[in-house]
Amino acid sequence: NPVQKRENYEFTFELPRYVEELKQELDYPLAWQNNREMPFEEWKRIAREQVFACMMTPPKAAGDFRPEIIAQEQREGYKALKILFNVNAYSRVMAYVLIPDGKGPFPAVNLLHDHGAHLFIGKEKMIRPFAVSEEVSKDAQAWADRLYEGQFTGDYLARQGYVCFSIDAPLWGERGREEGVDRGKYDIIAGNMMMLGRNLCAFMHYDDLASTEFLSTLPFVDSGRIGCMGCSMGAYRAWMLSALSDRIKAGASVCWMVTTDVQLSTMDGKRENGGFANCIPGLRNFLDYPHIASLAAPKPMLFINGIQDHLFPVRGVKQAFSQMRDVWASLQASDRLVTELWDIPHCCNKAAQEKVLEFFRENL
């Protein structure tokens, strides 16, 4: 059937016609650049509190993680475990954990999977799965081929001496819909969560915080040397987790950083495609993406974006990088922030994974 259209309209390209006027009203009063008169730690406390306030009601804490090993196998240089644990009071989730051979405790990395409009797998995007159906196994390898140049980041880092950990975000993998995968239902479910006073994106972040705390309790993990990394939505999760958790000592973010001005831009022909996957209500009235990421300062952070990445126009990436560099410089910590533009599309190829490894070697 042909699309019904009216002669008059108010929205175009998934944006209001007055998007430019709305953006001009965003003055980000809580950005560090607007609060330099106060001590940095005081600013961080106030800004963090505002982020959490916008994340709506948090899930009830699990109280007890109650970990249970479900399966394990020996791989070349490391062991793979599947562990069930309580990530909050409602959800008992499966994690993949890779443990290097040898005597620990080891540094650890919480690996945060991407979005990719592909919800059938989550943690299996980061760690090669086992004890799963052939469909899951084949899908995981196909996704690794597509976005990670055929290499599972977790297995790569585990061979280099890092405990690697990954869970599904809500609605991915084993936390999906009973009726099966349907990307179009994500936003409906997110809306229903808001009707319950909760925010689906925030639940993802709270789970990342809780899973990091769980990771720190494992006997083979050095709790003082925990980092995180991800690509795409995983990169967004990585700098959010780094900003909100003191447990994280270093974070690596590949292909997710921009300013709202460019992210929702008629000039660049851009709008946000992730929907509710990175939507925290009201937060833009206080802080933009690079301002939130700057809550991680002065800890070591790595940001890589791609010149060929059509999701994040270079103009917006450069703006964001500049704002973050300003924050680290104000703390005499410029050497701890790495911001790089590579001639790559939206991906985390082997070279990017090698850069992440070098970064963790220096900072974990």
Side-chain angles (χ1 to χ4, degrees):
N1 295 330
V3 175
Q4 291 182 303
K5 294 183 181 180
R6 294 293 294 268
E7 185 177 344
N8 297 314
Y9 59 90
E10 193 163 330
F11 296 85
T12 177
F13 200 61
E14 285 71 69
L15 291 169
R17 294 175 68 175
Y18 43 88
V19 61
E20 296 302 326
E21 289 95 320
L22 292 184
K23 287 193 300 181
Q24 288 175 14
E25 295 175 21
L26 298 176
D27 55 4
Y28 307 118
L30 276 188
W32 168 242
Q33 285 82 352
N34 295 324
N35 293 278
R36 290 178 181 272
E37 73 285 352
M38 69 170 67
F40 186 80
E41 288 301 317
E42 177 71 2
W43 168 77
K44 180 185 284 192
R45 182 187 63 79
I46 293 170
R48 261 190 188 174
E49 285 180 358
Q50 186 60 65
V51 175
F52 281 120
C54 290
M55 285 165 64
M56 304 176 71
T57 306
K60 282 186 179 178
D64 186 349
F65 292 121
R66 286 183 49 231
E68 177 186 358
I69 297 175
I70 299 301
Q72 58 184 299
E73 72 172 22
Q74 182 64 41
R75 297 182 179 176
E76 192 173 340
Y78 58 102
K79 180 168 61 177
L81 303 181
K82 294 176 81 168
I83 298 180
L84 268 178
F85 75 101
N86 297 329
V87 72
N88 55 47
Y90 323 115
S91 302
R92 188 162 173 79
V93 304
M94 188 79 75
Y96 281 112
V97 184
L98 305 180
I99 310 164
D101 293 345
K103 182 173 170 51
F106 304 98
V109 181
N110 194 344
L111 294 164
L112 308 159
H113 69 73
D114 60 72
H115 186 307
H118 187 67
L119 282 65
F120 181 63
I121 55 173
K123 61 190 177 298
E124 298 88 0
K125 295 177 177 182
M126 305 305 292
I127 291 175
R128 180 165 58 83
F130 70 105
V132 294
S133 69
E134 186 178 358
E135 182 182 14
V136 169
S137 183
K138 285 184 174 180
D139 198 67
Q141 186 59 61
W143 195 257
D145 292 343
R146 175 177 174 179
L147 206 64
Y148 300 91
E149 205 175 343
Q151 179 170 268
F152 289 95
T153 308
D155 294 74
Y156 171 67
L157 293 175
R159 286 193 296 271
Q160 306 300 323
Y162 294 85
V163 169
C164 290
F165 175 97
S166 192
I167 65 168
D168 297 318
L171 277 184
W172 270 265
E174 295 176 279
R175 304 181 71 186
R177 296 169 66 245
E178 178 184 5
E179 301 84 358
V181 174
D182 184 343
R183 167 66 181 89
K185 296 293 192 294
Y186 186 97
D187 296 343
I188 296 173
I189 292 170
N192 287 335
M193 289 283 283
M194 285 196 189
M195 295 291 283
L196 293 164
R198 268 67 171 186
N199 176 249
L200 186 58
C201 173
F203 265 46
M204 175 175 70
H205 296 310
Y206 278 118
D207 286 353
D208 291 341
L209 287 161
S211 68
T212 303
E213 290 303 316
F214 171 65
L215 180 58
S216 75
T217 68
L218 299 176
F220 41 81
V221 168
D222 182 343
S223 62
R225 292 192 292 160
I226 298 178
C228 64
M229 77 81 58
C231 171
S232 192
M233 182 184 79
Y236 161 71
R237 293 166 67 191
W239 57 253
M240 280 290 290
L241 178 57
S242 299
L244 298 178
S245 172
D246 293 328
R247 181 72 72 182
I248 295 293
K249 303 306 180 187
S253 176
V254 182
C255 287
W256 210 118
M257 181 47 71
V258 72
T259 58
T260 296
D261 179 53
V262 175
Q263 181 193 38
L264 305 176
S265 169
T266 51
M267 181 199 310
D268 297 278
K270 293 301 299 177
R271 80 282 207 197
E272 171 53 39
N273 293 310
F276 283 102
N278 60 280
C279 175
I280 298 175
L283 188 50
R284 215 54 71 239
N285 292 318
F286 305 97
L287 298 154
D288 200 2
Y289 297 117
H291 307 145
I292 302 165
S294 295
L295 287 167
K299 70 180 68 169
M301 293 291 295
L302 167 66
F303 291 86
I304 298 173
N305 268 67
I307 293 172
Q308 301 175 44
D309 187 342
H310 301 300
L311 294 179
F312 301 102
V314 170
R315 184 170 70 93
V317 176
K318 286 183 175 179
Q319 287 177 10
F321 283 0
S322 176
Q323 291 174 25
M324 291 190 294
R325 282 197 297 267
D326 180 48
V327 178
W328 266 261
S330 73
L331 300 171
Q332 289 77 50
S334 294
D335 59 327
R336 296 186 183 182
L337 176 66
V338 181
T339 57
E340 297 185 351
L341 272 168
W342 289 23
D343 189 16
I344 57 173
H346 192 74
C347 73
C348 184
N349 60 18
K350 289 181 179 179
Q353 293 176 54
E354 184 178 358
K355 178 71 178 184
V356 168
L357 172 62
E358 292 173 3
F359 172 77
F360 284 142
R361 278 178 171 161
E362 291 176 10
N363 297 292
L364 282 185

